[in-house]
C-alpha cells in the first residue's frame, strides 16, 4: 500500500507540474518566447523518484512542444555532493561546475535560436 501511495503522490505531483508548464507555455506563446529548459540534479546525482519523474515530464513536455532542454541529469552521472550546501542547492564551486557542463550546449542552443 505504501508503494501505491507514493506512486499516487508522484502522479499528482507530475500532473500539477505539467499543468504549470502548460500555463507557462501559454505565456511563452503569447510573447513569442523560445525557452531553453534545464533539468535538475541533487547532491547524489540520482536524486529521488520525484525528481526523476519531474525531469522526465519536462523532457517529454519539451519534446512535444519543440522546446530546447539541456539534460543536466544526463550530463552529470557521478555524485558531486562536495559542491552542495544541502540536498538541493549548490555552492559557488557547484555553480561553476554546472556552468562549465551546460555552457557548450547552451551556446549551441542560443546560436540555433538566434538564426
Amino acid at each position: 500500500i505504501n508503494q501505491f501511495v507514493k506512486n499516487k503522490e508522484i502522479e499528482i505531483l507530475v500532473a500539477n507540474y505539467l499543468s504549470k508548464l502548460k500555463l507557462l507555455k501559454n505565456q511563452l506563446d503569447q510573447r513569442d518566447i523560445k525557452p531553453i529548459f534545464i533539468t535538475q540534479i541533487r547532491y547524489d546525482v540520482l536524486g529521488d523518484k520525484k525528481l526523476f519523474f519531474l525531469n522526465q515530464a519536462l523532457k517529454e513536455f519539451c519534446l512535444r512542444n519543440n522546446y530546447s532542454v539541456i539534460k543536466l541529469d544526463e550530463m552529470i552521472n557521478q555524485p558531486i555532493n562536495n559542491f552542495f550546501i544541502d540536498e538541493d542547492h549548490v555552492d559557488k564551486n557547484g555553480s561553476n561546475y554546472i556552468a562549465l557542463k551546460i555552457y557548450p550546449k547552451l551556446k549551441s542552443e542560443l546560436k540555433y535560436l538566434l538564426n
Side-chain angles (χ1 to χ4, degrees):
I1 292 176
N2 284 342
Q3 185 63 28
F4 174 77
V5 171
K6 287 181 182 177
N7 287 342
K8 190 66 172 171
E9 289 174 10
I10 291 172
E11 184 179 323
I12 292 168
L13 178 70
V14 170
N16 287 335
Y17 182 62
L18 288 172
S19 173
K20 292 179 186 204
L21 284 174
K22 288 176 188 174
L23 292 173
L24 178 59
K25 180 187 180 321
N26 291 338
Q27 295 294 317
L28 295 168
D29 289 348
Q30 287 176 6
R31 293 170 173 84
D32 196 30
I33 296 171
K34 304 294 182 201
I36 300 173
F37 289 94
I38 302 174
T39 60
Q40 299 297 304
I41 61 169
R42 286 174 43 118
Y43 73 103
D44 59 359
V45 176
L46 301 173
D48 59 13
K49 286 182 184 180
K50 291 177 187 175
L51 182 59
F52 172 80
F53 286 110
L54 291 173
N55 280 339
Q56 291 306 111
L58 178 62
K59 292 174 195 177
E60 291 171 15
F61 173 80
C62 290
L63 183 63
R64 279 194 313 273
N65 292 288
N66 200 29
Y67 290 151
S68 298
V69 60
I70 297 174
K71 299 172 185 173
L72 184 62
D73 63 318
E74 295 177 17
M75 297 169 73
I76 298 176
N77 53 15
Q78 61 186 15
I80 57 168
N81 48 358
N82 55 319
F83 292 141
F84 279 74
I85 56 174
D86 60 28
E87 291 183 357
D88 300 308
H89 302 96
V90 293
D91 61 14
K92 181 181 174 185
N93 293 329
S95 292
N96 288 334
Y97 180 82
I98 289 171
L100 290 172
K101 290 286 189 183
I102 66 173
Y103 176 76
K105 179 76 172 155
L106 184 58
K107 183 178 176 183
S108 172
E109 292 292 329
L110 288 172
K111 279 184 180 179
Y112 173 76
L113 290 174
L114 294 174
N115 289 328

